[in-house]
Amino acid sequence: MLVNSKVMLQKARKEKYAVPATNFIDLDSARTFVNVAEKLNKPLMLPFAQAHKELISLEEAALIGKYLAEKVSVPIVLHLDHGEDVAFIKRAIDLGFTSVMIDASKETLEDNIKITKEVVAYAHQKDVTVEAELGHVGAGTNYENHETTDSIYTEVEDVQTFVSTTNVDSLAISIGTAHGAYKGTPVLNFDRLREIRETTEIPLVLHGGSSSGNENLNRCALNGIAKINIFTDFLNAAYKRNMEESPKDYLEMKRLANDAMANTLEACYKTFATKSVD
């Protein structure tokens, strides 16, 4: 069932759990994630990142996401992840994405607000929800859509102004995670999370969930984070399974990869304390 993220993430925040956001890069990964959600009767955010447009086109991603979502009974959000180009985001909306992220986090606060307002105005008239980022979650791999940077914590005093001015539906915050893999487990600023949660009623989002530690992620889910993005963990699980089992051919390689990604998502649902669909 194809839906936007408004009710899904508001419910997650209220009932203290997080919904996995599982970036897909092809039909196999998308189908694997949707099948797990249906099997477990759980909601799912199914994002496609602008950075991956060279792997499959935006048009292909839209067709895949809509087709798979309409084949299952659980709510699926077809989400554009880390959209930086407003024209690209508008095209995603026109193609049927039900949720989009505008990532203007590297801009000044004033410019971030201006750009986000433009996206919100276009999206809301088509019943599409919008996520924005305040602060900046850095990147550690070339899988992301920006250069390697340090993360910048979200400033609590900016949150209320940003949310009220832009009318955004959810907010990605920076509390110590980074995109990609880590050496060791990151230390997250849970005091900053608490302060932000107390400042706004909209759902909060955590990017850079891969390798962030199950205890950290569970604590985030129970304390105000309604959506957690995972990508690198799926790639690593697929690669590790194939290295361990030395598949005989390409078809077995794909089967092993899909199975490893499915197991990873099942583990995420447990860690994030995701509740079943009513």
Side-chain angles (χ1 to χ4, degrees):
M1 175 172 58
L2 187 65
V3 300
N4 68 28
S5 67
K6 197 169 189 70
V7 173
M8 180 187 291
L9 296 187
Q10 286 175 342
K11 185 175 188 292
R13 171 175 171 135
K14 180 181 179 181
E15 299 185 13
K16 297 184 178 180
Y17 64 85
V19 177
T22 56
N23 284 64
F24 72 96
I25 53 174
D26 55 18
L27 174 59
D28 268 355
S29 54
R31 183 166 50 204
T32 296
F33 300 145
V34 171
N35 285 347
V36 171
E38 178 77 348
K39 170 188 168 185
L40 299 181
N41 193 36
K42 307 283 188 182
L44 180 71
M45 295 284 296
L46 187 66
F48 173 74
Q50 182 173 342
H52 298 149
K53 66 183 184 297
E54 302 305 322
L55 299 175
I56 59 173
S57 69
L58 183 64
E59 289 76 10
E60 289 169 321
L63 289 170
I64 289 169
K66 290 187 293 184
Y67 172 75
L68 293 173
E70 294 296 2
K71 286 175 64 69
V72 295
S73 60
V74 293
I76 306 291
V77 176
L78 178 58
H79 176 70
L80 179 69
D81 191 32
H82 285 289
E84 291 189 328
D85 178 347
V86 173
F88 190 89
I89 294 171
K90 289 181 177 179
R91 187 152 60 94
I93 293 169
D94 292 342
L95 286 169
F97 279 72
T98 55
S99 174
V100 294
M101 178 191 184
I102 168 60
D103 182 0
S105 61
K106 292 183 294 182
E107 307 294 337
T108 64
L109 177 62
E110 181 181 23
D111 285 343
N112 193 350
I113 288 174
K114 179 181 178 181
I115 296 167
T116 301
K117 285 178 68 175
E118 180 182 355
V119 172
V120 168
Y122 191 83
H124 280 185
Q125 67 179 345
K126 297 175 181 285
D127 197 31
V128 172
T129 43
V130 180
E131 172 190 334
E133 185 169 320
L134 190 58
H136 183 64
V137 177
T141 76
N142 60 0
Y143 297 128
E144 305 306 329
N145 62 344
H146 43 70
E147 297 175 356
T148 301
T149 61
D150 292 328
S151 294
I152 302 170
Y153 277 173
T154 303
E155 296 293 340
V156 179
E157 56 267 27
D158 293 337
V159 171
Q160 191 169 32
T161 298
F162 186 88
V163 171
S164 63
T165 305
T166 62
N167 198 29
V168 72
D169 299 289
S170 61
L171 185 67
I173 62 172
S174 177
I175 58 170
T177 57
H179 294 107
Y182 301 95
K183 294 179 180 179
T185 302
V187 176
L188 304 189
N189 190 334
F190 288 100
D191 287 336
R192 183 63 57 92
L193 172 57
R194 175 184 52 79
E195 292 167 352
I196 295 171
R197 185 192 67 223
E198 292 173 352
T199 299
T200 182
E201 294 297 321
I202 70 168
L204 302 177
V205 172
L206 187 74
H207 286 260
S210 292
S211 304
S212 291
N214 289 345
E215 185 177 346
N216 277 338
L217 296 177
N218 179 259
R219 189 173 172 186
C220 284
L222 298 178
N223 287 277
I225 295 293
K227 166 179 171 274
I228 299 176
N229 281 57
I230 302 288
F231 176 57
T232 305
D233 277 354
F234 292 114
L235 301 185
N236 289 345
Y239 178 77
K240 181 180 179 182
R241 178 70 65 84
N242 274 280
M243 290 301 98
E244 290 174 345
E245 301 198 22
S246 301
K248 301 186 301 292
D249 55 35
Y250 180 67
L251 292 179
E252 185 178 357
M253 181 185 74
K254 287 170 69 70
R255 180 185 63 78
L256 290 171
N258 294 340
D259 185 61
M261 289 191 291
N263 290 342
T264 301
L265 178 52
E266 290 195 24
C268 287
Y269 275 124
K270 291 179 181 178
T271 299
F272 303 169
T274 314
K275 293 188 178 180
S276 297
V277 177
D278 295 333

